[in-house]
Amino acid sequence: MLKMIKSSFSSRSQFFIFSISILLTISCLPQKHKLGLLGEKAMVVSAHPLASEVGKDILLLGGNAVDAAIAVHMALAVVYPQAGNLGGGGFMVIREKYGEVHSLDYREKAPLAASRDMYLDAQGNPQPEISQNGHLASGVPGSVDGMVKAHEKFGSLPWSALINPAIVLAEDGFNLTEVEANFLSSYSGNLKKYSTIDPVHYTGKVFKTGDKLVQKELANTLKLIRDHGREGFYAGEVADHLVAEMRRGGGLISHEDLEKYQSIWRKPLTGNYKDYRIITMGPPSGGGIILLQMLGILENHKISKNKFSDYLHLKTEMERRIYADRAEYMADADFYPVPVEQLVTDKYLKERFQNFNPDKATPSTEIKAGDLLQESEETTHFSIVDQEGNAVSSTTTLNGNMGSKVLVAGAGFILNNEMDDFSIKPGFPNMFGVLGGEANKVEPEKRMLSSMSPTILEKNGKLFMVVGTPGGSTIPTSVFQAIVNVIEFDMGMQESVNENRFHSQWKPDWISYEKGYSNEAIMKELRAKGHELKERNSIGKVDAILVREDGTLEAGADYRGMDSAAGF
Ligand code: GLY
């Protein structure tokens, strides 16, 4: 891999510096440590150790945080097929060293041929099977255009240097851990079922620990992207493979959809909490709005770790009201007038919370479809700070685990099932159990509502934290908890990430807590206030970086996954 990176450079001294410094770098696999990896200068935290290493190598070569983000994105597309992607989309929030902020929306779009009722049967019943799996579930991918635009605006290393590490990983393969081997084996049936041509390198065997996953077609697609940039994906051979796959499988994405797709630089959503400035993602994500609403309400209340059930009650009551707002008002603001400013004003939040009772839960109406919550919530987030102090917070996704489970034959990448993030019928929950209405209905070329919340915090005008997570509808509430644990409960970054998480979202009307949480006293207090509690698998995988008082960087890499920090 280094050879490939090196070949992108002419200067021998530059490579010598790189080789020396690599010996001095530190990297680690996360366990449940209290203190995260510390770095003097730079840090990358992502869902996969190999991707974090790629990001660190790019920083060591003199690349900036955006260069590293592009390389990490491409590496995750190879080593983390459940969510890393070429066939998906996402959001990137950037803070430059002197404080200029930017956000890039490379969210997928509905194909031109999409229509409001495309997921209803003849009787008008929703068919989540086709909004979640197979060819009709895919939106027009945005990731490659997003990475190209990020590079055009901020890239300092050659584009090829950022793609080469991913090509090596795909072409030479990488060894699977036990968890990865089990994951791939368990998804092979679905990949076979939904792809029109059996992707045998994924489905042809039961994987074992240490097996090498080689992805030749994906390597070829990455080479085309390396050599032709945007055109390497949205035109030519790869586009032909994608459109042919759609035709064979009854999907909608056409050459015209691919030609027309553009990612967009948008003004980031910003707000304040005490001495902190929050820089996050606005529509088509509702995640940033939800985060600012929660912090806005919190600012009017006192919380303490000693009264933890009061804090959880307060948090749940906020979530109940805010997720009702989400269902009504949040969508792609290019198609629907999302009242962003109003939703985050102090006046509105005070009114919204007027009927809060500190002793009693406010019941939400019960819905049956809430049990859909057990669906997977795969997305992936990474946080990067470079040696200059530039920061990138980036969340990207295929939506569910392995997206639509369609692998584009000949091109070797998996397509998203992001269309399920639209409201396929008003009042019908998506795979995360969240409801939507008219605002988020399917329309051609519209972006589906997201919860992804890549976020950066400043304290007194200086970089303070870079944070984000996967987790579908639980994303904004996990980011909220990661922030509150540090600011209000005085935790370090890794400690904050380790902490148990809780989630609630209006409907279904309960508090989810992570398996293994066993504080009976807190649960009893919550039940006494009228809350129902339900155990579920882990919530989110927060990957974050904290700038400590002495200027060193502390990584928080989530032990819930294979998440890993690499820094120096
Ligand atoms: N697909 C998950 C999200 O965008 O929120």
Side-chain angles (χ1 to χ4, degrees):
M1 183 187 312
L2 287 179
K3 205 168 138 209
M4 299 278 296
I5 299 177
K6 192 179 159 192
S7 67
S8 308
F9 285 86
S10 47
S11 155
R12 285 177 69 189
S13 57
Q14 205 172 15
F15 190 72
F16 175 71
I17 293 166
F18 165 64
S19 309
I20 293 294
S21 43
I22 202 163
L23 297 171
L24 305 173
T25 61
I26 340 152
S27 64
C28 75
L29 279 173
Q31 286 151 22
K32 208 170 171 183
H33 296 306
K34 212 171 163 191
L35 180 65
L37 179 70
L38 296 179
E40 293 288 330
K41 294 190 170 135
M43 189 65 72
V44 180
V45 194
S46 85
H48 200 288
L50 290 169
S52 296
E53 285 297 322
V54 165
K56 185 192 70 181
D57 289 350
I58 293 296
L59 294 177
L60 283 166
L61 278 171
N64 62 33
V66 176
D67 290 320
I70 295 165
V72 169
H73 182 107
M74 294 298 176
L76 285 169
V78 178
V79 298
Y80 198 66
Q82 51 267 59
N85 66 82
L86 299 180
F91 302 112
M92 188 184 283
V93 173
I94 300 167
R95 182 186 182 276
E96 293 183 75
K97 58 184 168 184
Y98 297 122
E100 298 92 339
V101 293
H102 313 268
S103 68
L104 180 60
D105 166 1
Y106 57 97
R107 180 74 162 163
E108 301 92 325
K109 293 175 82 166
L112 287 158
S115 57
R116 179 200 155 113
D117 295 338
M118 64 186 277
Y119 300 111
L120 304 186
D121 67 12
Q123 287 70 46
N125 301 312
Q127 303 176 84
E129 164 61 17
I130 55 169
S131 69
Q132 292 175 12
N133 300 299
H135 297 69
L136 276 179
S138 299
V140 185
S143 286
V144 175
D145 188 73
M147 294 311 109
V148 169
K149 287 228 171 55
H151 188 254
E152 280 167 1
K153 195 171 170 85
F154 291 108
S156 70
L157 295 188
W159 172 249
S160 57
L162 311 180
I163 316 301
N164 278 337
I167 294 172
V168 175
L169 287 166
E171 197 153 53
D172 294 357
F174 65 99
N175 294 108
L176 299 172
T177 62
E178 187 183 351
V179 172
E180 289 173 311
N182 291 343
F183 169 79
L184 284 181
S185 301
S186 72
Y187 268 79
S188 71
N190 272 337
L191 277 171
K192 204 174 180 139
K193 177 173 169 190
Y194 293 109
S195 305
T196 54
I197 296 174
D198 186 1
V200 285
H201 60 292
Y202 276 126
T203 64
K205 66 190 234 188
V206 173
F207 288 98
K208 298 184 306 301
T209 313
D211 282 354
K212 195 168 256 198
L213 181 67
V214 174
Q215 301 170 83
K216 295 277 186 210
E217 288 181 349
L218 181 58
N220 188 49
T221 295
L222 284 161
K223 284 180 190 169
L224 291 166
I225 293 168
R226 176 193 63 193
D227 297 342
H228 304 287
R230 184 195 141 87
E231 296 300 292
F233 184 84
Y234 294 91
E237 190 182 321
V238 174
D240 289 348
H241 282 309
L242 201 164
V243 172
E245 180 67 51
M246 284 286 133
R247 290 203 181 117
R248 284 193 302 272
L252 300 181
I253 300 173
S254 65
H255 278 293
E256 193 183 353
D257 283 310
L258 296 173
E259 278 156 27
K260 285 186 86 173
Y261 183 85
Q262 293 292 337
S263 50
I264 301 176
W265 289 104
R266 298 189 188 273
K267 195 166 172 259
L269 184 61
T270 58
N272 295 308
Y273 174 72
K274 297 187 175 173
D275 293 339
Y276 303 86
R277 179 166 180 244
I278 321 296
I279 302 137
T280 186
M281 195 68 215
S285 180
I289 303 176
I290 293 171
L291 179 65
L292 291 190
Q293 287 186 298
M294 291 181 75
L295 290 169
I297 294 173
L298 183 66
E299 197 156 3
N300 298 319
H301 293 81
K302 273 205 156 43
I303 54 169
S304 136
K305 194 88 212 264
N306 298 332
K307 295 194 174 162
F308 198 62
S309 65
D310 287 352
Y311 160 64
L312 287 182
H313 171 63
L314 173 74
K315 184 173 92 59
T316 305
E317 293 295 297
M318 293 177 196
E319 290 163 346
R320 208 188 286 285
R321 288 159 179 80
I322 290 169
Y323 276 80
D325 285 354
R326 181 193 193 276
E328 187 67 25
Y329 300 119
M330 298 183 206
D332 180 352
D334 292 344
F335 281 74
Y336 179 85
V338 182
V340 181
E341 298 302 327
Q342 194 185 334
L343 287 168
V344 299
T345 57
D346 194 43
K347 182 170 175 290
Y348 174 78
L349 295 173
K350 277 189 176 133
E351 274 166 23
R352 192 82 179 91
F353 219 53
Q354 225 167 24
N355 62 351
F356 167 67
N357 180 338
D359 301 317
K360 202 167 177 315
T362 325
S364 309
T365 312
E366 294 229 344
I367 54 162
K368 282 197 191 105
D371 12 342
L372 290 177
L373 252 187
Q374 294 309 317
E375 281 290 336
S376 72
E377 296 171 346
E378 277 307 332
T379 287
T380 188
H381 175 84
F382 51 91
S383 296
I384 301 176
V385 176
D386 68 22
Q387 34 298 46
E388 300 283 320
N390 303 298
V392 171
S393 184
S394 190
T395 315
T396 180
T397 189
L398 289 167
N399 198 19
N401 254 327
M402 294 224 171
S404 61
K405 292 97 185 166
V406 172
L407 189 129
V408 177
F413 64 89
I414 295 165
L415 280 166
N416 68 83
N417 61 344
E418 219 71 64
M419 292 296 281
D420 190 64
D421 267 350
F422 280 117
S423 171
I424 65 167
K425 182 175 182 174
F428 186 78
N430 72 4
M431 69 159 75
F432 306 118
V434 280
L435 302 179
E438 278 297 302
N440 189 33
K441 68 184 176 198
V442 184
E443 293 177 78
E445 296 200 85
K446 186 178 182 181
R447 287 161 152 91
M448 52 298 285
L449 178 61
S450 173
S451 297
M452 292 188 281
S453 318
T455 297
I456 297 176
L457 270 72
E458 285 173 2
K459 184 178 183 183
N460 301 324
K462 295 210 169 105
L463 180 66
F464 178 71
M465 189 189 288
V466 187
V467 59
T469 181
S473 58
T474 69
I475 290 174
T477 67
S478 294
V479 171
F480 172 85
Q481 287 166 98
I483 293 171
V484 168
N485 289 341
V486 171
I487 295 180
E488 298 297 340
F489 300 147
D490 218 15
M491 294 183 197
M493 198 70 258
Q494 187 64 51
E495 211 182 343
S496 164
V497 167
N498 291 347
E499 195 69 1
N500 281 291
R501 296 192 191 114
F502 303 84
H503 174 76
S504 184
Q505 56 178 43
W506 178 46
K507 294 179 183 180
D509 187 3
W510 62 63
I511 300 175
S512 303
Y513 65 95
E514 294 181 296
K515 203 172 183 167
Y517 183 72
S518 59
N519 193 325
E520 279 304 325
I522 300 282
M523 292 202 268
K524 204 170 150 199
E525 283 163 21
L526 285 168
R527 286 192 190 102
K529 288 183 195 286
H531 292 288
E532 188 184 349
L533 285 105
K534 286 210 180 187
E535 185 185 84
R536 51 158 285 169
N537 290 334
S538 62
I539 300 176
K541 291 187 194 102
V542 175
D543 284 341
I545 302 169
L546 179 68
V547 183
R548 306 199 312 166
E549 270 176 25
D550 64 0
T552 52
L553 305 169
E554 186 196 351
D558 209 318
Y559 75 92
R560 293 163 180 84
M562 290 175 60
D563 302 42
S564 164
F568 56 91

